[in-house]
Amino acid sequence: MRRSTLPAFLALAALLPVASTPVGAQDGAPGLKLAVGDVGLGIGDVPRLDGLRLSFRDRHLERVRGVNVTVWEPHEDARGRVEGIALGLPLTGAHDLRGLALGAGFSAERDFDGVGFGLLGAGVGERARGVLVGGLGAGVGGSVQGLALGGLGVGAGESVRGVLAGGLGVGAGGHVRGLAIGGLGVGAGESLTGVAVGGLGVGVGGDARGLLVGGLGVGGGGRLQGLAVGGLGVGASELEGIGVGGLGVGAADFTGAILSGVGAGVENGTGVVVAPAYFRVEETGTFRGVSLSAFNDIRGTQRGLSIGLLNIAEELHGLQVGLINIARNKRSLSILPLFNYHP
C-alpha cells in the first residue's frame, strides 16, 4: 500500500466500529447508534446520545443532549432526561425536560425548565419554570415559576409565581404571586398577591393583596388588602382597602371604604361606607367613620356620622342626620327628626 493512502485508511478503519453500533444487544434497548462515543445520530430507543435522536416511544432513555424527536409519549416507567429540544410528532416527553418542547402535546413526569408549547396540552408532574403553553390546557402537579397559558384552563397543585391565564379558568392549590386571569374564574387555595381577574369570580382561601376583579363576585377567606371589585358582591373575613360590589359588600372587619350598589354589612368597621339601600353593623360590633345609606342600622356602637332617611344606633357616640334618627342609649330625646347627637 502506498504511503500517501495509509493515514486515510487507518482513519476509516478507526471510525467503522463506532459509526454503526447496534445497542439492542447490549442493554435491551432497540435502537441504532451512529456516533463517536455519545456524539452523533441515534435511531430508536438509544439510552444516551449527544446529537440527534429519533425514537417512536421512549422507555430506556437516560439522557439526550441535543434534539429528541418522538412519535408518542414515553412509557410510564421511563426515567430519562432531555436537554435541548424535544419535538413530538405528535407527542413527546421525558422524566425531566430542559430547553424547548414542541408538539401536539408534551409532558414532563417530574420537572420542566424552558419553553414548551403543546397544541393540545402540556403537563408537568412536579415543577415548571419558564413558559408553558397548552392549546387546550396546561397542568402542573407542583409549583410554577414563569408564564403558563391554557386555551381552556391552567392548574397548579402548589404555588405559582408569575403569570397564569386560561380561557375558562386558572387555579392553584397554594400561593399565587403575580397575575392571574381566567375567562370564568380564578382560584387560589392559600394566598394571592398581585392582580387577579375572573370573568365570573375570584376566590382566595386565605389572604389576598392587590387588585381583584370578578364579573360576579370576589371572595376571600382571610384578609383582603387593596382593591376588590365584584359585579354582584365582595366578601371577606377582613377587608383593608376598598371594596366595590354591584349588590353588596360584606366583611367581619373592615378598614377603608365600601361602595355598594345596594347594601353592606360588617361586624366592625373604620372608614367610609356608601350603601344606597341598607347598611348594617352587628350587635357586638362598632363602626367608626361615615356611613351614607337610606337605612343605617347600627345594632352595636356608632362613633361618627351616619346620613340617611332612617338612622338607628343602639349606642350612639356621634351624629345622625336624616328624617328619623334613633339613639337608644339616650335617656331623653332618643328619637328626633333631622338630626340626633350624643357625645
Side-chain angles (χ1 to χ4, degrees), residues 115-193:
V115 177
F117 176 78
L119 182 62
L120 297 179
V124 178
E126 295 186 13
R127 175 181 56 80
R129 294 192 300 187
V131 178
L132 189 68
V133 181
L136 293 181
V140 180
S143 62
V144 175
Q145 294 182 25
L147 171 65
L149 306 177
L152 295 180
V154 177
E158 298 178 4
S159 298
V160 173
R161 184 184 295 268
V163 178
L164 290 180
L168 293 181
V170 299
H175 307 282
V176 174
R177 294 179 179 271
L179 171 64
I181 301 175
L184 293 182
V186 174
E190 296 186 18
S191 68
L192 187 148
T193 302

Side-chain angles (χ1 to χ4, degrees), residues 223-224 236-243 249-259 264-274 279-281 286-291:
R223 176 180 299 175
L224 196 160
S237 177
E238 298 179 53
L239 175 62
E240 295 183 4
I242 301 175
V249 177
D253 298 286
F254 100 93
T255 302
I258 290 178
L259 305 176
V266 303
E267 184 172 343
N268 294 285
T270 301
V272 177
V273 175
V274 178
F279 172 53
R280 170 172 170 166
V281 176
T286 299
F287 175 70
R288 297 175 174 86
V290 178
S291 63

